[in-house]
Amino acid sequence: MAKEKAQLSREDWIVLHCSLLEEERKAEVSAAQSEVEGASLKILEARGVVLGHLVISERSTGLYGRPMITFVPARKDTVLPANNFSSGDIVGVCESGSGQGQQRATGVVKYVSQKSIQIVLDEDADELDSLSDDAQLRLNKLANDVTYRRIKSGLNELEKLINGPAAHTVSVLFGESPPRSQAPSLPPQLTGPDGRIQLFNKNLDNSQRDAVEFAIQRSDLAVIHGPPGTGKTTTVVEVIRQHVKLKSKILACAPSNLAVDNLVERLAAAKVRIVRVGHPARATQLTQRYTLDCLMHNSDESQLLKDIHRDINEQLKQLKTARDKGKRQHIRREIKTFRKELFEREMRLTKQILTNSDVILATLTSSSNDGPLKLLREDFFDVVVIDECSQAIEAACYMSLLRAPKLIIAGDHCQLPPTIISKEAAEKGLELSLMERIINQCGEEVVRMLTMQYRMNTDIMQWASTAMYQDRLVAHSSVASHLLLQLQGVKTNEDTGKVLC
């Protein structure tokens, strides 16, 4: 591919992308505000961005000692109205009444059902602890600013980077240094008597095998380009397993929870020691057992943590009935003491679970320094893998890739780009993914493309192969001449007997 004509310096790139992120954030806030401006509470409730007439049904303590509040409709035996609230949304807790009401606290939605909604508060619970359980409250859905703060924090780390684990790789990404030469051979731990790699997945085709070996032999940067149906995730999983065999510690990320869980399922089936970082409500049912929360819940120390939770909840019950001001202050101090102890114990247990894992998986934003990974030493990881890299804005990748000396990215920049709300920010460069930029900058030196596809008939595949993949795709024999009528339950007719109608 052609080299990028005008490559920005690292400093200029950071300045530009900080401004583009701000444009994108403003566009998102503006879009959210346009939904609520000038609208009555009744209309906002109808749009699903406000839940009114709620009362507190339960106060408890969640992971890391954070206060959790469960809200239910004020009218008994009723359900929540149709709404757009979901796990991970940022909400404001306001008192019901005339006007917009006073915002008492902010938090993140943990769970939503027909009858209740539970949130984890961002800060101390004093503002809500002081309210009676029959006080009517309202939840307002807020624009999510957390992602932007985390990405900008990653860019700040990039700007300050001088040494660090990823210093050389970053210098390659910005054209300050050339990529290192590929190792002449595979590590002996991974090869058999014939010198060939011993694959976990014996069914890999030649292009997949080549990509796996290439990613292992690269010491700084490797790109796996996987067009549709070529087994990109299968290849990435093999790459990860081979690095685990080398006793490497790996951080595997993707821009979406779904893509992360896809890796979790594959690695769990292969019996790799993994932990999935992130809110368990955002994980699929199949992968929740591998989340940090679940592993902590099932640990040997779980009973002690439950005892502290119980003590906090008992204090919260006393707070509800206490009328004396001095007694209420004493109870609040007790609650804070218990929460501090819970926080410290959970931090130690979190670090232990993370340290004992071979692969830690997270979305790009969950790999930021304000999450559990901050508990690990700077040089803990040997490899960072970013799957579906072409669907993430480049700035988001620095939250994870700064953590290790070796970076492996996978995806297909010829498919959907990152989702950008601001058209101006996209045109100025926010839409250009790290994967596409590096392929343009470094060319084939750091790239291996998967060429055998297992999804499309040859005639269907051909246009995409010619238009986007330099005629390099080949349809596997299992699908090369496959027709609809060959599928179970499909009847033979004029349409199902043809490749193209």
Side-chain angles (χ1 to χ4, degrees), residues 83-286:
N83 62 83
N84 293 326
F85 288 76
S86 61
S87 172
D89 285 342
I90 298 176
V91 296
V93 184
C94 302
E95 292 184 77
S96 293
S98 59
Q100 292 300 309
Q102 178 186 355
Q103 182 165 294
R104 289 279 190 164
T106 61
V108 177
V109 176
K110 180 181 181 184
Y111 174 79
V112 184
S113 69
Q114 282 190 316
K115 294 185 177 181
S116 66
I117 179 169
Q118 187 177 65
I119 71 167
V120 180
L121 297 184
D122 289 336
E123 303 294 342
D124 195 275
D126 283 357
E127 279 291 315
L128 295 183
D129 285 345
S130 62
L131 295 176
S132 63
D133 284 351
D134 59 356
Q136 291 208 14
L137 301 167
R138 185 177 74 248
L139 297 181
N140 297 338
K141 190 173 180 180
L142 304 177
N144 190 337
D145 201 43
V146 174
T147 298
Y148 293 101
R149 291 204 305 269
R150 289 177 174 175
I151 293 175
K152 284 198 172 182
S153 176
L155 293 184
N156 288 337
E157 293 298 316
L158 173 64
E159 187 176 29
K160 294 184 293 184
L161 183 69
I162 298 175
N163 297 312
H168 168 73
T169 303
V170 167
S171 70
V172 172
L173 297 180
F174 287 97
E176 300 163 359
S177 302
R180 294 192 182 111
S181 300
Q182 183 176 338
S185 60
L186 291 165
Q189 307 97 298
L190 306 184
T191 60
D194 59 356
R196 287 171 59 83
I197 188 170
Q198 293 183 304
L199 296 171
F200 291 98
N201 186 342
K202 308 298 183 185
N203 297 318
L204 294 190
D205 62 46
N206 289 336
S207 70
Q208 292 169 337
R209 176 192 290 267
D210 180 50
V212 170
E213 294 181 354
F214 176 76
I216 294 168
Q217 290 174 258
R218 299 286 311 170
S219 64
D220 47 11
L221 175 64
V223 180
I224 299 174
H225 180 193
T230 55
K232 172 185 60 62
T233 303
T234 298
T235 306
V236 169
V237 168
E238 182 71 27
V239 168
I240 291 173
R241 294 182 70 185
Q242 293 290 341
H243 279 88
V244 169
K245 193 174 180 180
L246 290 171
K247 302 189 182 305
S248 297
K249 292 290 187 178
I250 301 154
L251 174 61
C253 297
S256 71
N257 284 287
L258 188 61
V260 172
D261 285 335
N262 191 16
L263 288 174
V264 171
E265 288 182 27
R266 306 277 193 100
L267 292 169
K271 308 299 183 184
V272 178
R273 290 190 303 175
I274 61 173
V275 57
R276 205 296 201 185
V277 172
H279 203 299
R282 288 177 170 173
T284 65
Q285 282 190 325
L286 290 174

Side-chain angles (χ1 to χ4, degrees), residues 361-373:
L361 299 105
T363 60
L364 292 170
T365 51
S366 293
S367 67
S368 66
N369 277 329
D370 64 354
L373 299 190

Side-chain angles (χ1 to χ4, degrees), residues 294-489:
C294 187
L295 294 173
M296 292 180 70
H297 179 76
N298 295 326
S299 71
D300 294 337
E301 292 189 38
S302 63
Q303 188 55 54
L304 178 58
L305 298 179
K306 289 175 185 175
D307 290 342
I308 302 174
H309 276 282
R310 188 186 63 246
D311 291 338
I312 293 173
N313 291 336
E314 286 297 322
Q315 294 293 324
L316 287 170
K317 287 178 182 177
Q318 292 183 35
L319 185 64
K320 289 166 62 175
T321 58
R323 294 290 176 264
D324 179 73
K325 183 178 179 181
K327 186 175 182 180
R328 290 178 66 85
Q329 288 178 341
H330 173 73
I331 293 173
R332 283 185 180 138
R333 284 195 296 270
E334 288 289 299
I335 291 172
K336 284 186 177 181
T337 300
F338 282 130
R339 283 177 173 158
K340 181 180 179 182
E341 181 183 358
L342 184 64
F343 176 83
E344 291 173 349
R345 288 185 178 275
E346 287 185 330
M347 287 295 104
R348 288 196 293 270
L349 181 55
T350 296
K351 184 176 181 180
Q352 177 184 328
I353 292 172
L354 294 175
T355 303
N356 291 338
S357 299
D358 290 322
V359 184
I360 297 174
L361 299 105
T363 60
L364 292 170
T365 51
S366 293
S367 67
S368 66
N369 277 329
D370 64 354
L373 299 190
K374 68 185 176 184
L375 300 174
L376 301 173
R377 67 179 191 273
E378 185 185 45
D379 62 348
F380 179 81
F381 293 106
D382 301 295
V383 184
V384 169
V385 176
I386 303 179
D387 196 13
E388 303 296 358
C389 183
S390 53
Q391 295 180 20
I393 60 172
E394 179 175 350
C397 296
Y398 291 97
M399 289 179 284
S400 59
L401 72 80
L402 295 181
R403 296 183 178 276
K406 181 172 179 176
L407 172 65
I408 300 170
I409 59 180
D412 182 14
H413 60 290
C414 299
Q415 294 185 61
L416 291 174
T419 300
I420 308 294
I421 296 175
S422 168
K423 183 179 178 181
E424 292 77 12
E427 290 174 348
K428 292 175 183 176
L430 194 62
E431 193 179 59
L432 181 66
S433 69
L434 172 65
M435 181 171 182
E436 183 172 6
R437 187 174 72 78
I438 293 308
I439 289 177
N440 289 339
Q441 175 182 307
C442 298
E444 295 299 313
E445 184 179 0
V446 299
V447 182
R448 283 297 181 272
M449 178 175 162
L450 307 180
T451 55
M452 181 69 73
Q453 69 84 24
Y454 299 82
R455 189 178 298 168
M456 294 171 280
N457 181 293
T458 299
D459 292 343
I460 296 174
M461 174 202 74
Q462 195 56 55
W463 177 85
S465 181
T466 301
M468 293 182 284
Y469 304 109
Q470 302 85 47
D471 276 321
R472 294 173 66 184
L473 295 186
V474 177
H476 189 262
S477 58
S478 62
V479 298
S481 57
H482 203 65
L483 301 174
L484 284 176
L485 60 82
Q486 294 172 276
L487 296 175
Q488 186 176 359

Side-chain angles (χ1 to χ4, degrees), residues 29-41:
V29 170
S30 177
Q33 288 177 339
S34 66
E35 280 195 87
V36 302
E37 284 181 352
S40 66
L41 289 177

Side-chain angles (χ1 to χ4, degrees), residues 74-88:
R75 287 183 59 190
K76 292 185 178 180
D77 302 320
T78 59
V79 298
L80 295 175
N83 62 83
N84 293 326
F85 288 76
S86 61
S87 172

